[in-house]
């Protein structure tokens, strides 16, 4: 599904958060949104999800104006949003039950998707009985089970350690290859953006404006991102950061390093 942002502006009680944002995101593309904390990246996702209305402009999903949430556009957050009183399989299946798939069929599909994210054998565990990485795997399964046309990921792996994050990035890439949604990914991790994205938009401080766009479509990527060293330097430079890579995520999150 193609997403088109047409001259989007957004104010919150007079606070200008987004100004004149226009971009087209082609079907199946993964576009990373990178920028300083509070610049308006999540707000762009919420507008695409139909949870917020723009103050000016329109967003189109294919040729239809987005006027509210729709199951074909799925939002996933950093904090695992699994229901603690449901098992992993029930959490994943629930997304289908909301769409009127019967319980038995939903359970079968939940098991299939949990297997794809390496959680075979944990279907009947509750969220508190598995690790944070496993919870995010289950959240990925839940995001993909209803075959979304658009996936809006807001710092999905931000709370995980670096190693777990990388395995989750691999899992996400596999799922994307299979389902082929259009993906907008908000991340503070420049390496995550370089690894996953076809395009990277770097935003200014609020009100969010695109400072620069990077195109990575042709690269066949591994976690060895040395070939992107110069792009990484440019992105960090645009964000006003000249630090060792380990410090970057913390700096972007506003912490002192
Ligand atoms: N529902 C809301 N009501 C009022 N103000 C809001 C609302 N949502 C966001 N804002 C404000 O809009 C600005 C941008 O917020 P947003 O969450 O989009 O930034 P962000 O770039 O995603 O930040 P971060 O990287 O820290 O998550 C902030 O100043 C925030 O306080």
């Amino acid at each position: 599904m193609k997403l088109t942002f047409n001259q989007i502006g957004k104010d919150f009680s007079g606070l200008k958060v987004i100004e004149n944002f226009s971009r087209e995101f082609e079907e199946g593309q993964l576009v990373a949104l990178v920028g300083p904390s509070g610049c308006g990246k999540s707000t762009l996702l919420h507008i695409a999800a139909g949870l917020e209305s723009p103050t000016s402009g329109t967003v189109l999903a294919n040729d239809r104006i987005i006027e509210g949430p729709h199951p074909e556009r799925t939002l996933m957050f950093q904090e695992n949003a699994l229901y603690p009183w449901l098992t992993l399989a029930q959490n994943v299946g629930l997304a289908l039950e909301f769409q009127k798939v019967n319980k038995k069929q939903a359970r079968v599909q939940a098991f299939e998707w949990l297997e794809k994210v390496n959680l075979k054998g944990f279907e009947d565990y509750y969220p508190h009985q598995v690790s944070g990485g496993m919870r995010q795997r289950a959240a990925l399964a839940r995001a993909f089970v209803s075959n979304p046309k658009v996936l809006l990921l807001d710092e999905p792996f931000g709370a995980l350690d670096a190693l777990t994050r990388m395995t989750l990035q691999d899992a996400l890439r596999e799922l994307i290859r299979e389902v082929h949604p259009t993906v907008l990914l908000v991340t503070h991790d420049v390496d995550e953006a370089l690894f996953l994205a076809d395009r990277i938009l770097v935003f200014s401080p609020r009100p969010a404006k695109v400072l620069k766009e990077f195109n990575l479509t042709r690269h066949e990527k591994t976690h060895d991102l040395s070939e992107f060293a110069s792009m990484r330097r440019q992105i960090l430079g645009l964000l006003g950061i000249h630090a060792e890579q380990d410090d970057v995520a913390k700096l972007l999150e506003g912490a002192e390093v």
Side-chain angles (χ1 to χ4, degrees):
M1 172 169 275
K2 181 174 171 175
L3 278 183
T4 309
F5 287 73
N6 265 330
Q7 301 191 313
I8 292 297
K10 180 68 180 173
D11 295 5
F12 287 110
S13 331
L15 180 78
K16 209 179 266 303
V17 175
I18 296 163
E19 208 170 37
N20 206 16
F21 176 75
S22 294
R23 277 293 186 285
E24 290 186 358
F25 302 121
E26 298 301 330
E27 182 161 331
Q29 254 184 0
L30 191 150
V31 183
L33 313 180
V34 177
S37 182
C39 76
K41 305 177 295 295
S42 301
T43 302
L44 276 176
L45 290 199
H46 296 166
I47 291 173
L51 297 174
E52 294 279 1
S53 321
T55 310
S56 55
T58 48
V59 186
L60 305 178
N62 285 342
D63 295 327
R64 262 177 302 129
I65 293 180
I66 293 176
E67 286 175 323
H70 190 285
E72 67 192 7
R73 285 175 273 114
T74 298
L75 184 63
M76 177 178 158
F77 304 94
Q78 171 177 333
E79 303 84 32
N80 77 84
L82 301 178
Y83 295 115
W85 60 88
L86 297 179
T87 64
L88 301 188
Q90 287 167 338
N91 264 287
V92 176
L94 193 64
L96 292 173
E97 287 178 45
F98 281 143
Q99 291 173 50
K100 310 271 185 282
V101 175
N102 76 51
K103 246 189 163 53
K104 203 169 159 198
Q105 183 57 27
R107 186 165 165 86
V108 170
Q109 288 191 42
F111 271 56
E112 281 171 19
W113 281 91
L114 285 167
E115 184 169 0
K116 286 181 214 247
V117 295
N118 243 337
L119 285 173
K120 193 173 165 56
F122 294 95
E123 297 89 348
D124 294 324
Y125 281 55
Y126 287 89
H128 75 274
Q129 296 175 311
V130 299
S131 70
M134 291 161 86
R135 284 195 288 273
Q136 278 313 73
R137 281 179 190 277
L140 274 182
R142 188 174 63 177
F144 276 90
V145 72
S146 47
N147 203 5
K149 303 280 179 288
V150 173
L151 202 53
L152 304 161
L153 304 175
D154 200 348
E155 284 277 334
F157 312 134
L160 304 174
D161 65 88
L163 195 61
T164 308
R165 199 182 310 159
M166 276 196 251
T167 66
L168 268 281
Q169 289 162 358
D170 290 336
L172 172 62
R173 206 162 67 165
E174 281 309 306
L175 297 176
I176 287 172
R177 281 200 179 127
E178 189 170 333
V179 176
H180 229 62
T182 308
V183 186
L184 297 188
L185 167 74
V186 168
T187 181
H188 286 114
D189 180 345
V190 176
D191 280 357
E192 180 165 280
L194 290 167
F195 176 64
L196 287 171
D198 302 308
R199 291 160 69 187
I200 300 177
L201 305 187
V202 182
F203 287 92
S204 68
R206 197 184 57 233
K209 281 195 190 146
V210 178
L211 292 174
K212 190 159 177 169
E213 174 164 348
F214 296 84
N215 194 327
L216 300 89
T217 334
R218 290 176 192 198
H219 296 271
E220 191 51 49
K221 289 182 259 181
T222 66
H223 283 288
D224 171 15
L225 296 166
S226 45
E227 66 174 305
F228 299 105
S230 115
M231 203 180 273
R232 181 197 287 126
R233 261 196 307 280
Q234 279 188 64
I235 295 173
L236 295 177
L238 287 165
L239 296 169
I241 290 165
H242 306 279
E244 291 302 314
Q245 191 55 31
D246 283 351
D247 296 339
V248 169
K250 287 184 213 153
L251 280 165
L252 283 169
E253 278 155 17
E256 285 193 27
V257 177

